[in-house]
Amino acid sequence: KIQVKMPKDTVYQQYEYYAALFAIQGQMHDEAIAILERLKNGEVEAIAVNQFLYQEYVEKKDTAAFLKVLEDAMVRFPQEPWFLQNLINHYIFSGQESVAVDYLNKAIEREPNVAQYHMIKGNINANMGNIEQALADYDRALELDPTLVDAVAGKGRVYYNKAVKMNEDAAYIQDQKEYKKA
């Protein structure tokens, strides 16, 4: 008997995956999204499929859709930090630092010994004015990786900014003794 329809097995999913790659390369975003949406919960190249789907929604500037892809993929692939990192980056760059810190806390809870997470959290806390927390974050990052230059720079930036603020505040003190003390 001749089959009219192809069975939807893993071989079929591989064909669809390659069709999605072709659509991506051809800048055929709607076609790529349609195929990737069908494949996103499958087993064939599942992580890559979700990463490509995220990228296609970014290309279409569909924030709600790409956030959903990232959030769903985080649950499905908890061992893959790429999705969480992109979610954190989105919230950082969209000015929603407190949401980014919430996701960083989840990342740290999952992987407490990743110095980079603590350093990024320190940067966000410093930007939000949470100076003491930022210093604690940088210290934790440096405890985990003493060679993490960005954490040293972040900590130095916090101290520099504190010194500039102290100097600016002292400039308005008229009394010489109080000025020198400050």
Side-chain angles (χ1 to χ4, degrees):
K1 182 176 175 182
I2 298 174
Q3 287 186 343
V4 178
K5 282 187 161 182
M6 214 173 158
K8 305 249 176 168
D9 59 6
T10 55
V11 172
Y12 180 80
Q13 290 176 6
Q14 286 175 330
Y15 286 128
E16 281 211 311
Y17 176 72
Y18 292 121
L21 293 180
F22 175 79
I24 291 167
Q25 290 296 315
Q27 300 290 309
M28 299 168 10
H29 303 296
D30 292 331
E31 292 83 353
I33 287 170
I35 298 167
L36 293 167
E37 281 289 350
R38 288 194 300 269
L39 294 173
K40 74 178 181 182
N41 295 317
E43 298 305 317
V44 174
E45 301 291 337
I47 291 173
V49 164
N50 282 272
Q51 290 171 335
F52 286 133
L53 184 57
Y54 160 80
Q55 285 299 123
E56 289 301 298
Y57 281 127
V58 167
E59 287 291 324
K60 301 250 326 164
K61 297 181 179 15
D62 189 339
T63 305
F66 78 62
L67 287 175
K68 176 129 179 57
V69 169
L70 291 174
E71 289 168 354
D72 291 349
M74 270 180 28
V75 173
R76 185 159 180 228
F77 311 107
Q79 77 287 357
E80 177 54 58
W82 189 91
F83 300 104
L84 178 59
Q85 290 166 353
N86 278 283
L87 199 55
I88 291 166
N89 285 339
H90 165 73
Y91 287 115
I92 289 170
F93 294 120
S94 66
Q96 300 176 64
E97 289 90 356
S98 61
V99 178
V101 168
D102 291 342
Y103 279 106
L104 272 166
N105 287 335
K106 288 180 186 177
I108 291 169
E109 187 177 304
R110 190 181 307 166
E111 297 178 278
N113 296 325
V114 177
Q116 194 77 13
Y117 290 158
H118 295 278
M119 186 272 305
I120 293 168
K121 188 176 169 191
N123 289 344
I124 294 170
N125 276 313
N127 289 340
M128 290 174 31
N130 303 330
I131 303 306
E132 296 310 313
Q133 182 59 53
L135 290 171
D137 294 331
Y138 291 135
D139 286 342
R140 179 66 180 136
L142 291 168
E143 183 181 306
L144 293 169
D145 182 359
T147 66
L148 190 59
V149 173
D150 290 339
V152 174
K155 191 172 180 179
R157 192 171 40 255
V158 167
Y159 282 122
Y160 173 81
N161 289 337
K162 282 178 79 169
V164 167
K165 174 83 170 109
M166 289 170 62
N167 193 39
E168 288 173 354
D169 291 345
Y172 295 103
I173 299 174
Q174 298 295 324
D175 184 287
Q176 277 300 72
K177 284 183 183 179
E178 289 297 315
Y179 174 79
K180 285 184 179 186
K181 182 179 175 185

